[in-house]
Amino acid sequence: MRYLLLIYEPERPPDAEIPPEVMKAEMDAWGAFTQEVRARDVMRAGEALQPSTTATSVRIRDGRTVVTDGPFAETKETLGGFYLIDCRDLDEAIELSAMMPNAGRGTVEIRPIWELPQDYASAEGREAVPAH
């Protein structure tokens, strides 16, 4: 089953100076985690996100497109990235989430992928994807 591991943690201020040894230790920890999910052959994708200050939110209100700078909601923790994994079950996804470097200071949200029928995912010959 595929799961999305969403990485949430307190966002550092843009002007925060991180000592090089701290940044190296952080990058090494994420590298080790990435190696683990690759070694288990469960990794399907993963990306780090730019800070929430670079976000743009889009909403439709009264038939008009409203574009605003920043994330949709103000929270203490922000979405910093994700891993898409394909595990045997939720227990394995939980096991891997507990290994993530941010688990001790932030949150890892595990979301199962909703496996839609192929024709829902394909735009060919379809005017709209049915609402759920």
Side-chain angles (χ1 to χ4, degrees), residues 28-101:
D28 288 350
W30 281 109
F33 176 76
T34 301
Q35 291 291 21
E36 176 68 22
V37 292
R38 285 185 175 151
R40 291 186 187 205
D41 195 30
V42 298
M43 184 167 173
R44 299 299 175 262
E47 295 292 344
L49 301 176
Q50 294 284 335
S52 66
T53 55
T54 65
T56 301
S57 296
V58 177
R59 299 170 187 84
I60 303 296
R61 299 295 184 263
D62 299 321
R64 292 184 38 227
T65 302
V66 179
V67 178
T68 55
D69 291 338
F72 177 74
E74 290 187 29
T75 62
K76 291 182 181 181
E77 296 180 329
T78 60
L79 179 62
F82 70 90
Y83 281 82
L84 177 62
I85 59 174
D86 193 353
C87 295
R88 67 181 174 276
D89 54 25
L90 179 59
D91 290 336
E92 184 179 20
I94 292 169
E95 175 192 351
L96 288 167
S97 295
M99 295 176 176
M100 296 176 82

